[in-house]
Amino acid sequence: MIVTLKYAYRKFDATPSGAFPRRHSVSRPVIPIQLINGENKVGHLALIDSGADFCVFHGSLGEAIGLVVESGKPENFSGVSGKGRPLVAYFHSIRIEVGGHIFDCWAGFSKEIEGLPYGLLGQLGFFNLFDVHLDYNKRRIELKIKDKT
Amino acid sequence: MVENTDLRKVLRGYSNKWVALSADSRKVVGVANTPKKAIKQAHINKEISPILTRVPKNPTAFIL
């Protein structure tokens, strides 16, 4: 049986700019998930980001589920700005709950992304679990759980 | 439970803070500088399954 999870894009405030003078909001593919470490779990709105190589969340969220963030395995990464030194994330084996379904996830936690509004659901740890369909015009998200076989 | 997906009004005024939303995202149940403190407030407000998000300092566009 194919399990399909359906969500709507979420709408956030945005300021007008020279390029988008009439913009007052943006719609993003953000979904509620749970980050789970043993008995500890925390809900979070995370961004589905096909451009991210892996999942990375705020270090402070890692601490909220009882992780000692810097005890994980380090990985350097860069954002689209390409400015400055690479950032570092520390990887831990956690579980994520999406739509009531729980999955193992090798996820990074970084104290250097605290300024971002969302953790990122990237290729490894999310896209390997789901067939992802984002329909911007309808503001709809469909996630089909991949068959493990 | 019908979730609120238009978060503009509910998150307004919490710039640069961690916000704990109710499970249906309709109201703020905790606000703090850290997720732990926002969760603690949510639990005090009897929300057992808060959803955390961080409101950016400036609502700019994101290319991540």
Side-chain angles (χ1 to χ4, degrees), chain A residues 8-15 23-25 28 32 34 42-45 47 49 58 60-61 63-64 80 114-118 120, chain B residues 3-9 11-12 16 18 21 25 34-36 39 49-57 59-64:
Chain A
Y9 276 56
R10 278 165 166 75
K11 192 180 279 189
F12 299 89
D13 271 330
T15 49
R23 176 187 63 191
H24 293 281
S25 67
R28 297 183 176 127
Q34 297 276 337
V42 64
H44 179 49
L45 289 178
L47 179 72
D49 183 2
H58 306 74
S60 56
L61 286 175
E63 291 175 343
V80 71
E114 292 295 328
L116 293 181
Y118 323 106
L120 306 179
Chain B
E3 285 184 69
N4 173 32
T5 57
D6 185 344
L7 299 177
R8 290 176 296 174
K9 282 185 182 175
L11 294 179
R12 225 167 260 166
N16 211 24
W18 281 96
L21 296 170
S25 296
T34 68
K36 277 185 183 178
I39 293 167
S49 300
I51 304 169
L52 290 172
T53 189
R54 193 177 187 290
V55 182
K57 197 171 183 179
T60 55
F62 288 100
I63 302 290
L64 299 172

Side-chain angles (χ1 to χ4, degrees), chain A residues 29-136:
Chain A
V30 169
I31 63 169
I33 65 166
Q34 297 276 337
L35 303 175
I36 304 169
N37 176 40
E39 298 298 312
N40 300 319
K41 70 178 182 179
V42 64
H44 179 49
L45 289 178
L47 179 72
I48 298 173
D49 183 2
S50 63
D53 290 337
F54 43 72
C55 297
V56 63
F57 303 101
H58 306 74
S60 56
L61 286 175
E63 291 175 343
I65 55 171
L67 297 174
V68 178
V69 171
E70 287 86 356
S71 70
K73 304 293 185 187
E75 166 78 359
N76 292 327
F77 66 101
S78 301
V80 71
S81 74
K83 291 180 180 175
R85 64 178 175 78
L87 308 178
V88 61
Y90 295 92
F91 277 71
H92 295 263
S93 289
I94 64 164
R95 289 178 296 155
I96 60 171
E97 182 182 317
V98 183
H101 300 267
I102 296 176
F103 305 90
D104 292 328
C105 184
W106 180 237
F109 291 85
S110 176
K111 292 185 176 177
E112 297 183 284
I113 65 164
E114 292 295 328
L116 293 181
Y118 323 106
L120 306 179
L121 297 168
Q123 293 291 331
L124 184 63
F126 188 77
F127 280 77
N128 62 309
L129 300 173
F130 298 98
D131 288 322
V132 179
H133 180 68
L134 303 178
D135 187 331
Y136 181 79

